[in-house]
Amino acid sequence: MAKSVAGPEIEKLIQLLAKLPGLGPRSARRAALHLVKRREQLLSPLTAAMAEARDKIGVCSTCGNIDSRDPCTICTDHSRDQSTVVVVEDVADLWALERAKALNAAYHVLGGVLSPLEGVGPEDLTIRQLIDRVEAGGVKELVIAVNATVEGQTTAHYIMDRLEGLDVKVTRLAHGVPVGGELDYLDEGTLAAAMRSRTTL
Amino acid sequence: MAKSVAGPEIEKLIQLLAKLPGLGPRSARRAALHLVKRREQLLSPLTAAMAEARDKIGVCSTCGNIDSRDPCTICTDHSRDQSTVVVVEDVADLWALERAKALNAAYHVLGGVLSPLEGVGPEDLTIRQLIDRVEAGGVKELVIAVNATVEGQTTAHYIMDRLEGLDVKVTRLAHGVPVGGELDYLDEGTLAAAMRSRTTL
Ligand SMILES: [Zn+2]
Ligand SMILES: [Zn+2]
């Protein structure tokens, strides 16, 4: 769009929308137009929801989940088995496991996987905090639910090494997760089945 | 996502993001997570841009373009040939023609096309306002730049009939626009060429 057509406000809105995953420059223009045409039904409520998220949502200092409270809803939910901690790479994986109702337990979000190529080392993930959680006591089982990728498995082995000598049972998701597959893309049935048949490492 | 996982704020954000064109429930979850993880770089500026659009952007009462002023930037641009008015279905088409630098003229946004099947009649479009603009004088040429679809062509013919007896030259985009094609999907070269060879109806 030429600079003079619709003013800097729309221009700015399109630029920022184009930074969302799944939206390119063209779909960002469509989204901007869609929003402006639906001021009351969509633009206003979405603006309010984003302001709310901006002001209220943060990272849980215990598990790395995102929530409006810290510790998060999951960490403070006493109907969950807080002695079982499911270790995931990303909040998206936590959401996927929750949608699958895979296990009514706690979580630990690593914030990624070890990747020497991309310069991601142990200190870039929440591995130290995970070990601290186990050392503090009360954790009986860690379910390592990282992706079945090379980096995911490397990360799992690194965590196993660090847990050496600590009194905790470590399990992983059952095979059933396709090799090379990512959790967030799997159907809920497969995820639930893989969780049910998790095996001791 | 189960209701209890990340609180109602994220839930609401995902629901609203899923209403944007191009985003389904799954990509809306990814977008929400992407936003929350980039509070300073993306969530805050996008919230501000949306609030700005919500508060400032409206529809031009002359041409139907959207802008922060009324009459809009295009209608008040005296470097444009205001006696030539390009009639388009939607603001997205106006943007597409502007990106193609097709013609340095004014516009009239119809707000859709006639469609008996979908219950869209002349009174649902800005056809009355277009006739008023022509009758008010000063418009020498109308370039009918509606989509090359059945509804688009029906709308063009309806407008021609309504212009009967008025002293205005009516042209249309040259063939070159693929039959059945929509303006907003064409490359800029094709659009510019079609505009250059526009013919008298
Ligand atoms: Zn937590
Ligand atoms: Zn205007």
Side-chain angles (χ1 to χ4, degrees), chain B residues 153-174:
Chain B
Q153 297 312 304
T154 305
T155 308
H157 285 123
Y158 179 85
I159 292 172
M160 287 295 291
D161 288 347
R162 293 285 302 272
L163 290 166
E164 192 80 37
L166 290 176
D167 183 27
V168 64
K169 180 178 168 189
V170 183
T171 58
R172 61 163 172 76
L173 293 184

Side-chain angles (χ1 to χ4, degrees), chain B residues 171-189:
Chain B
T171 58
R172 61 163 172 76
L173 293 184
H175 278 303
V177 176
V179 174
E182 302 201 345
L183 290 192
D184 196 22
Y185 282 83
L186 293 181
D187 67 278
E188 303 180 1

Side-chain angles (χ1 to χ4, degrees), chain A residues 123-143:
Chain A
E123 67 290 344
D124 298 312
L125 309 178
T126 61
I127 294 177
R128 178 69 254 165
Q129 292 91 315
L130 176 63
I131 307 299
D132 288 348
R133 255 178 111 173
V134 174
E135 284 179 338
V139 178
K140 292 182 188 149
E141 176 181 354
L142 283 187
V143 185

Side-chain angles (χ1 to χ4, degrees), chain B residues 60 62-65 71-75:
Chain B
C60 173
T62 302
C63 77
N65 186 19
C72 74
T73 309
I74 289 177
C75 284

Side-chain angles (χ1 to χ4, degrees), chain A residues 60 62-65 71-72 74-75:
Chain A
C60 173
T62 302
C63 76
N65 185 20
C72 73
I74 289 178
C75 284

Side-chain angles (χ1 to χ4, degrees), chain B residues 25-37:
Chain B
R26 182 191 161 73
S27 47
R29 285 197 301 268
R30 300 209 150 227
L33 206 49
H34 190 86
L35 282 167
V36 168
K37 286 179 180 171

